[in-house]
Amino acid sequence: MVPGMIKICEVAYRRPGMSVEDFQAHWRGTHGPIVARIPGIRRYVQCHPKVGGYGKGELICDGIAEIWVDDKEALRAMSQTPEFAAAKRDEPNFIDGDRLVELLTEETVIKDGAIPKNGVKSISLLTFKAGMDPSEAQIHWRDKHGPIAAGIDTLRHYVQCHVRLGAYRKAKPPAFDGIPMAWFDNIADMRQSANSTAYAQTKADEANFLEPGRIGTILTEEHVIVG
């Protein structure tokens, strides 16, 4: 995507009492086409957790939506459209509105390999180390941690979504500080990466900028709705 674009990351949780299968079916089949009609959206991707991941209980979230727009002016303009209003009206049909998290981020591509057509996309929700300045944490994550992770051989494509620093000037800090997204050809390759030196170095470096015990990860299948 064009540098400087805003990437909206929506961390979604399904409506209480709704099954995972019904949530994913409504999100993709009903809500997706509604959102696709909103003017100004350059790209829209839904990331659905692998259903098998729920075998051990609830996940850190039920899905993440990625929406790219040109800038804040475009974001303001689209929020005033009837198409945007229609999308917001549909959300209570499948989303728990009390838990929905919307983050304005800037995406940085760390490893620009080809995205596997039928691969697995690993997404994490990060919290920076308590007391660390967000701008310093972002620099470390991008410039030091990123190249270490990029050295993992089976990692095909890797991006970091950095929360825009303006979010930290608000009374309530963002729910998460960043969202890394990593693509592998398959789950076997992803698991194999855990045996590599680069992976060990990546995990060791997390202590330099992330809060211990606050990293959550889901394995997803992405669906491109627009773009």
Side-chain angles (χ1 to χ4, degrees):
M1 303 303 292
V2 178
M5 294 186 79
I6 292 176
K7 178 180 178 179
I8 307 160
C9 290
E10 295 187 338
V11 183
Y13 302 84
R14 68 188 188 278
R15 191 187 69 199
M18 192 174 202
S19 71
V20 173
E21 292 81 1
D22 287 348
F23 169 82
Q24 292 188 353
H26 185 100
W27 186 18
R28 186 180 181 188
T30 300
H31 192 71
I34 296 173
V35 174
R37 290 193 285 270
I38 299 174
I41 290 180
R42 299 303 183 190
R43 181 172 169 83
Y44 170 40
V45 174
Q46 294 178 354
C47 302
H48 293 224
K50 301 283 189 179
V51 175
Y54 289 89
K56 295 182 179 180
E58 294 298 314
L59 304 179
I60 56 168
C61 68
D62 291 306
I64 295 177
E66 306 168 71
I67 300 173
W68 287 257
V69 297
D70 288 334
D71 48 37
K72 293 200 76 171
E73 289 69 29
L75 182 58
R76 291 191 195 98
M78 66 183 252
S79 69
Q80 303 302 313
T81 65
E83 292 86 356
F84 181 87
K88 298 304 289 184
R89 284 196 301 271
D90 182 60
E91 287 183 355
N93 292 323
F94 71 111
I95 285 177
D96 184 348
D98 292 334
R99 301 179 69 193
L100 179 65
V101 175
E102 296 184 335
L103 302 172
L104 299 188
T105 76
E106 295 176 0
E107 181 182 87
T108 298
V109 178
I110 304 297
K111 190 169 186 177
D112 197 14
I115 294 177
K117 185 176 181 181
N118 297 308
V120 60
K121 182 177 183 179
S122 173
I123 303 177
S124 299
L125 303 177
L126 304 184
T127 300
F128 291 150
K129 184 186 294 186
M132 191 171 188
D133 181 83
S135 62
E136 293 180 3
Q138 288 187 354
I139 291 171
H140 184 100
W141 183 26
R142 182 187 64 238
D143 297 343
K144 295 183 179 180
H145 188 79
I148 297 173
I152 297 173
D153 287 341
T154 57
L155 176 61
R156 299 302 177 214
H157 192 86
Y158 171 43
V159 304
Q160 297 175 350
C161 304
H162 293 239
V163 173
R164 291 166 65 90
L165 292 175
Y168 296 94
R169 293 193 286 270
K170 298 180 179 180
K172 185 177 180 180
F176 306 105
D177 294 306
I179 304 180
M181 301 182 176
W183 287 255
F184 297 85
D185 286 333
N186 49 59
I187 291 179
D189 278 3
M190 186 195 69
R191 289 174 176 161
Q192 177 185 331
S193 73
N195 299 317
S196 68
T197 300
Y199 180 85
Q201 293 172 337
T202 300
K203 297 301 292 183
D205 183 64
E206 289 177 353
N208 293 321
F209 71 107
L210 295 181
E211 186 68 12
R214 293 291 301 278
I215 304 172
T217 301
I218 53 174
L219 303 184
T220 74
E221 179 179 353
E222 67 173 9
H223 301 286
V224 178
I225 310 298
V226 176

